[in-house]
Amino acid sequence: MVKKNACVFISGYGSNLKSLISNSRNQNFPINIKLVITNNKHAKGIIFAKQNSIPILIINTKKNSFENDILREIRKYKISLICLAGYMKIISKKFINNFGKKIINIHPSLLPKFKGLDTFKRVLNNNEKKTGCTVHFVNDKLDGGKTILQKSFFIKKSDNIKTLKYKTQKLEHRAFSEAIINIYRYD
Ligand code: GRF
C-alpha cells in the first residue's frame, strides 16, 4: 500500500495528534504524518511531533499571508490530507479551494448538535441522554461538512464536564483513525 502524506493542525494538547502518530506507525494505516502545523507556539502537541521527528510549522495568524505560507509548506511536503485536531482557527473558503484535497476535522459532539465551543457544558445543560464525537469533512461553515463517522455513549447522572471530556476524547482517538481508514478504504 502506498501511504498518503498527511498534515495535522493543532492548537493545544495534541492527544489526537499523538494517537494518529502512533497508528500511522502501522504499515496498513493509510497515512504518514509528514508535517504538523500550529498557530500556538506553546501547544503541547509540538513535543509529540518533535519526539517523532515530524517537522513543525508555527504560523503567525496575525500575518495576512499566513494561509499562503501554509499552502506553500503543504505543497512542499506533497500533502493530500489535512487533519484538524483541535485547531482553534477557522479555515477560509479560499484556503479550502486552493488546497483542493481532503480536509477533515474532529468535533466533541454528535453534530449537527453543539457546533462551536464549550460543548460539554452545553451538552450537560441541555440534559442530553447521549453524546460523543464526530469526524467530518471541512467546508467553509463552522463544524459544517459531511459526516464521516460518529461514536457515542450514554451520559450518566454522575457525569460532569471533566468526565464527559475524558470519555469523549477516548472515543475521539479511535474515531479519527477509523474515519481515515474509511476514507481510503477503496483507494
Ligand atoms: C478535541 O476534543 C477535539 O474534538 C476538539 O479539540 C480537542 C483537541 O484535543 N476539536 P487534543 O488537542 O487532540 O488533545
Side-chain angles (χ1 to χ4, degrees), residues 8-19 43-45 48 84-88 105-109 116-117 119-120 132-134 143 165 168-169 172-173 176:
V8 182
F9 284 38
I10 60 165
S11 295
Y13 187 73
S15 67
N16 280 286
L17 168 67
K18 193 177 180 186
S19 92
K44 286 237 166 56
F48 303 136
L84 305 182
Y87 181 64
M88 303 300 281
N105 180 44
I106 186 140
H107 184 76
S109 79
L117 297 174
T119 333
F120 306 115
C133 63
T134 306
D143 300 321
K165 183 175 174 187
T168 305
Q169 287 213 322
E172 284 187 346
H173 301 155
F176 220 163

Side-chain angles (χ1 to χ4, degrees), residues 50-119:
K50 278 195 177 147
Q51 282 167 348
N52 289 277
S53 312
I54 300 170
I56 301 144
L57 175 69
I58 299 171
I59 43 156
N60 176 1
T61 51
K62 288 198 183 92
K63 231 173 110 187
N64 279 339
S65 64
F66 84 93
E67 286 197 334
N68 289 334
D69 298 344
I70 296 178
L71 279 171
R72 196 175 327 109
E73 209 63 14
I74 273 175
R75 289 196 181 115
K76 200 163 101 190
Y77 286 93
K78 300 192 175 13
I79 300 296
S80 49
L81 175 71
I82 292 177
C83 303
L84 305 182
Y87 181 64
M88 303 300 281
K89 282 268 155 198
I90 307 253
I91 302 239
S92 75
K93 193 173 183 174
K94 191 169 158 224
F95 180 91
I96 296 170
N97 290 338
N98 281 341
F99 176 56
K101 293 177 184 155
K102 294 179 176 73
I103 308 179
I104 62 176
N105 180 44
I106 186 140
H107 184 76
S109 79
L110 298 172
L111 290 173
K113 285 183 165 180
F114 307 107
K115 296 178 179 181
L117 297 174
D118 279 334
T119 333

Side-chain angles (χ1 to χ4, degrees), residues 107-110 119-120 123-124 128-134 150-172 174:
H107 184 76
S109 79
L110 298 172
T119 333
F120 306 115
V123 165
L124 288 173
E128 293 293 314
K129 290 199 164 46
K130 271 168 99 179
T131 191
C133 63
T134 306
Q150 294 188 312
K151 285 192 183 292
S152 64
F153 62 92
F154 285 100
I155 299 171
K156 291 189 177 147
K157 277 215 171 72
S158 57
D159 273 320
N160 53 43
I161 293 181
K162 208 172 150 196
T163 59
L164 280 195
K165 183 175 174 187
Y166 177 79
K167 292 178 189 180
T168 305
Q169 287 213 322
K170 267 185 89 170
L171 281 188
E172 284 187 346
R174 285 171 37 216

